[in-house]
Amino acid sequence: MTESSDHIPETKLETPKRVHSWTWFFVEYGAIAFALLILLALLLPNVRFAKEPARRVQCLNNLRYISLAVLNYSEQYGSLPPAYTVDALGKPLHSWRTLILPFLDQEKLYKTIDLSKPWDDPANEVAFKTVVRAFQCPETELPAGQTTFVAMASDDLCFHPTRGRALSEFKDGTNQTVMVLETDREHAVHWMSPNDCDPKWFLNFDAKSPLAHPGGINVAHVDGSARFFRASTPAKTRAALMTIAGGDKVEEY
């Protein structure tokens, strides 16, 4: 007797295929991208804020470098440089910034300049097109050759218009007189230009002016020091810091 059994066919189970959902792809990765954009937006102001103090310090260092160059000029020639040189007719030719180039390690550049011809004469094209880093604030974007580092020239201010000024003339004290200051972008000049700062600007600028640094400017004193000068400083203090022998004693500001 033959024993029979029913044959049950083998069933092959297939792994279900993964269904890709493009909708969920865009939702998930879109959310990640959005979160990254928000994070970037939050970080950028902090990065900018962190860079500002470093750039302000570099700006101050440049002003110290300039003021020391002026003092080294004075040591060699017996006086500060004039605000500008003039020709036989009294026409301004070159700035004090040009005259201190040898004391800024720029003697090679200085020797390319023909001091008998105006600063913007074609004969002085090489220097005209040269950017002198010491005259730059890293926080200020300007056309090539422009600077916001300026002086104030007058008979009773730091730089005499046409002659050198001896340090003995600073009766108020070298630490009580501003030598070089940082103006705003709208009053920038070419570093070779015999133009500088109108004293009225220093007396009247405020926090609304297009300043390189929030809340004030950097200044250098005749003693070679440099510091941040707040836009909120009273006009009386500003006036006292401008003159060389006004008799005004300036307290800490």
Side-chain angles (χ1 to χ4, degrees):
M1 180 175 178
T2 305
E3 187 176 348
S4 65
S5 62
D6 295 328
H7 177 70
I8 301 175
E10 183 180 353
T11 303
K12 190 174 183 180
L13 298 177
E14 295 184 359
T15 303
K17 294 182 179 180
R18 185 176 181 180
V19 179
H20 292 280
S21 174
W22 291 106
T23 300
W24 280 108
F25 174 84
F26 284 116
V27 169
E28 291 177 1
Y29 286 91
I32 294 173
F34 183 70
L36 289 174
L37 286 174
I38 292 178
L39 181 61
L40 185 62
L42 292 173
L43 288 176
L44 281 178
N46 292 330
V47 171
R48 172 67 177 78
F49 180 77
K51 286 183 177 180
E52 161 57 21
R55 289 174 175 173
R56 183 187 295 180
V57 169
Q58 181 59 54
C59 181
L60 278 171
N61 287 338
N62 286 351
L63 280 172
R64 288 191 188 96
Y65 190 30
I66 291 171
S67 63
L68 291 176
V70 172
L71 292 175
N72 286 333
Y73 178 101
S74 174
E75 185 176 349
Q76 179 164 326
Y77 295 104
S79 67
L80 273 61
Y84 48 81
T85 61
V86 297
D87 62 14
L89 299 177
K91 179 182 177 181
L93 293 177
H94 290 276
S95 168
W96 60 272
R97 287 176 291 267
T98 295
L99 299 180
I100 67 170
L101 285 176
F103 304 95
L104 293 172
D105 296 323
Q106 295 290 337
E107 188 166 2
K108 184 177 179 181
L109 177 63
Y110 179 75
K111 289 181 177 179
T112 69
I113 301 173
D114 187 343
L115 296 176
S116 67
K117 296 180 180 179
W119 64 280
D120 54 354
D121 188 273
N124 294 318
E125 183 179 9
V126 172
F128 182 86
K129 292 182 177 180
T130 301
V131 175
V132 180
R133 296 299 178 190
F135 295 140
Q136 303 294 308
C137 170
E139 194 68 20
T140 307
E141 294 183 4
L142 295 170
Q146 295 284 301
T147 181
T148 52
F149 293 163
V150 293
M152 292 180 287
S154 177
D155 290 343
D156 60 346
L157 303 182
C158 180
F159 286 86
H160 191 279
T162 57
R163 68 167 178 83
R165 189 185 297 286
L167 290 177
S168 59
E169 296 181 53
F170 292 87
K171 303 300 183 183
D172 289 342
T174 55
N175 66 332
Q176 299 276 306
T177 307
V178 170
M179 174 193 285
V180 182
L181 60 94
E182 177 188 20
T183 189
D184 61 34
R185 291 181 290 274
E186 293 180 356
H187 293 84
V189 298
H190 193 280
W191 68 264
M192 294 181 71
S193 169
N195 296 315
D196 274 289
C197 179
D198 184 342
K200 292 181 181 178
W201 182 89
F202 182 68
L203 287 173
N204 297 307
F205 84 89
D206 56 28
K208 296 180 181 179
S209 302
L211 307 175
H213 311 288
I217 63 174
N218 288 324
V219 301
H221 293 265
V222 181
D223 65 349
S225 63
R227 61 171 298 167
F228 186 68
F229 187 93
R230 292 186 296 273
S232 59
T233 304
K236 182 179 179 180
T237 301
R238 301 184 191 203
L241 288 168
M242 289 167 54
T243 58
I244 64 172
D248 299 314
K249 200 69 176 176
V250 179
E251 301 298 332
E252 184 67 19
Y253 66 91

